[in-house]
Amino acid sequence: MRLSLFWRVFAVNAGLLGAIAVLLLVTPVEIDSPIKTTQAFIVIGGLAITLATDALLLRRAFRPLERLARRMDTVDLLRPGQRLPVVRGDEVGRVVAAFNQMLDRLESERHENGRRVLAAQEAERIGIARDLHDEVGQLLTGVLLQLNSIAETAPTHRAEIDQAREAVRRALDEVRRISSELRPESLEHLGLVSALIELSTTFARVSGVRVVRRFDDSLPPLPADTELAVYRIAQESLTNVARHSEATHVTMALERGLDSVVLRVLDDGRGFGGAPVERGGLRSMRERALLIGGALAIKEGATRGVDVRLEVPAARVAPAVAVE
C-alpha cells in the first residue's frame, strides 16, 4: 500500500529531523557561547546538508505537479492530444489522470460545438447569398433596365446615363462575386478542383496578384464536408494574402500525398515578421482543419512569405468509384 503524498512528505521531514537528533545525541558536539568558528561551520554545514536532502526528496515528489502546471499554461484545444503520461498511482498521478480526462471532455465538447457553429455559419452564408442574388441582384437588374429605357427617351443625357449604367453593372458584378464567395455553387456542382480554379481566378483578377495552380489529375474524391473545409481554408488564405502580405505571386497546389490529400497556398509576401499570432481567420482555419481530422501548418516560407499547408489524412478520403 502506497503512502499518501502528505505522509511521504511528513516522513521525509521527520526522518531528517530524527537523523539530526541522533547525531546530536551520539556525537560529542559542543557549542560554546560565544560560538566558535569551527562550531559555526559544523552547524551551518549540517543545516545545508539537511536542506539539500529535503529539497532533493521533495522535488522528486512534486515534479509531476510542475509538469502539469506548465502543460496547463500552454495547452491549446485546437491542437489535440496534448496529454501527460500517468506514471504514478498516488494523488499526483490521479490529478494528472483527471487533467487528461478533462482535456478529453473539453476537446470533445469543442469539436461538437465547433461543428454546430460552422454549420450555422454556412447556413447563414447560404441565406445571405440567396438574398443578394434574388433581391439585390434583381433590384439592380431592374435599375439597369430602367436606365436603358431612359437612355432611349433622353438622348441628350446619354453620357450621364452611360456612367450610371456602368456603375450599376459594376455593382451587379460585385454582388455576384460576393454571392459566389458566400455560396460556392461550383463546389457543389463541379467539385473541389473547379471551385478552387474559379476562386483563384477571381482572386487574381480582383487583387492583381499572379496565381500559379498545381492540381494533381489523380485526386481521389473527398466527402462534402472535407471539400468545403479545404475550400474555406484556401479562401481564407487568399484573403489574408490580399489584406496583409503585399505579395505579387501566389502558388496554390492540391496534391495527393502518400496517405493523404494536401492543399498548399504559398505567397512571396512579407510574411509574419515574427511568430504568427493566431486569431480570427487563422483560428477559424485551424478549427475547420480540426473538424475534418486534418493537420494545418501555417509558417514562414522557405525564403519569404507565408506557407499554409493542410493535410487531410487517408481516413477522410472517400474510396474511388471504379468505372468500367
Side-chain angles (χ1 to χ4, degrees):
M1 176 179 175
R2 292 180 63 90
L3 293 175
S4 67
L5 181 62
F6 168 79
W7 287 112
R8 278 186 285 139
V9 172
F10 178 81
V12 168
N13 288 278
L16 290 172
L17 290 175
I20 294 172
V22 170
L23 288 174
L24 291 175
L25 291 174
V26 302
T27 57
V29 177
E30 296 180 354
I31 300 178
D32 298 330
S33 180
I35 190 170
K36 296 180 180 179
T37 304
T38 305
Q39 295 171 345
F41 278 126
I42 293 174
V43 172
I44 294 173
L47 287 174
I49 293 173
T50 302
L51 292 175
T53 305
D54 195 25
L56 182 64
L57 295 174
L58 292 179
R59 182 168 182 79
R60 182 177 180 276
F62 288 103
R63 186 176 291 115
L65 291 178
E66 296 176 358
R67 290 197 297 266
L68 177 62
R70 287 196 298 268
R71 181 55 53 85
M72 293 176 71
D73 287 337
T74 59
V75 70
D76 185 353
L77 294 180
L78 290 182
R79 293 176 172 84
Q82 302 178 62
R83 304 293 185 269
L84 287 171
V86 181
V87 296
R88 293 160 54 168
D90 57 4
E91 294 95 329
V92 176
R94 290 197 293 272
V95 169
V96 173
F99 174 73
N100 290 340
Q101 293 172 2
M102 181 190 69
L103 286 182
D104 290 338
R105 186 168 60 254
L106 289 176
E107 288 178 2
S108 176
E109 292 174 356
R110 183 179 181 89
H111 185 278
E112 183 61 25
N113 291 337
R115 187 190 61 79
R116 287 198 296 265
V117 168
L118 290 179
Q121 288 179 353
E122 291 300 329
E124 189 69 18
R125 285 172 182 261
I126 291 174
I128 294 174
R130 185 182 299 114
D131 291 341
L132 283 173
H133 183 272
D134 296 344
E135 302 295 334
V136 180
Q138 289 183 6
L139 286 174
L140 289 175
T141 302
V143 171
L144 188 61
L145 293 175
Q146 290 180 350
L147 288 173
N148 291 335
S149 177
I150 294 173
E152 295 177 357
T153 58
T156 56
H157 299 283
R158 189 63 178 265
E160 293 86 346
I161 294 174
D162 286 343
Q163 291 179 358
R165 284 192 295 189
E166 183 61 27
V168 173
R169 288 193 185 98
R170 288 199 300 269
L172 269 172
D173 291 339
E174 188 67 12
V175 167
R176 293 191 186 100
R177 183 187 67 81
I178 296 173
S179 178
S180 176
E181 289 182 357
L182 289 171
R183 183 188 182 188
E185 294 184 353
S186 59
L187 179 63
E188 180 181 353
H189 300 299
L190 301 177
L192 179 60
V193 171
S194 296
L196 291 178
I197 291 174
E198 180 181 348
L199 174 67
S200 56
T201 301
T202 303
F203 167 79
R205 184 178 68 250
V206 173
S207 66
V209 178
R210 180 168 174 261
V211 179
V212 175
R213 295 182 291 263
R214 296 201 306 265
F215 298 151
D216 277 358
D217 296 330
S218 60
L219 289 172
L222 299 174
D225 61 334
T226 303
E227 286 194 343
L228 180 59
V230 172
Y231 178 88
R232 291 300 186 200
I233 290 173
Q235 185 181 45
E236 184 64 33
S237 300
L238 294 179
T239 299
N240 290 335
V241 170
R243 289 178 178 174
H244 309 297
S245 74
E246 301 177 3
T248 60
H249 180 278
V250 173
T251 299
M252 177 183 288
L254 191 66
E255 303 167 338
R256 178 193 284 270
L258 181 61
D259 293 309
S260 61
V261 173
V262 180
L263 168 75
R264 290 192 68 187
V265 180
L266 175 64
D267 68 76
D268 64 348
R270 56 190 178 91
F272 294 112
V277 179
E278 294 194 6
R279 61 182 64 169
L282 296 184
R283 297 285 291 184
S284 175
M285 292 164 64
R286 198 168 294 282
E287 184 87 34
R288 288 184 181 276
L290 180 62
L291 290 178
I292 61 172
L296 178 67
I298 305 172
K299 60 183 181 180
E300 295 275 356
T303 55
R304 57 183 302 189
V306 176
D307 185 2
V308 177
R309 185 179 188 276
L310 170 67
E311 183 172 6
V312 182
R316 293 290 303 177
V317 177
V321 179
V323 180
E324 296 182 357

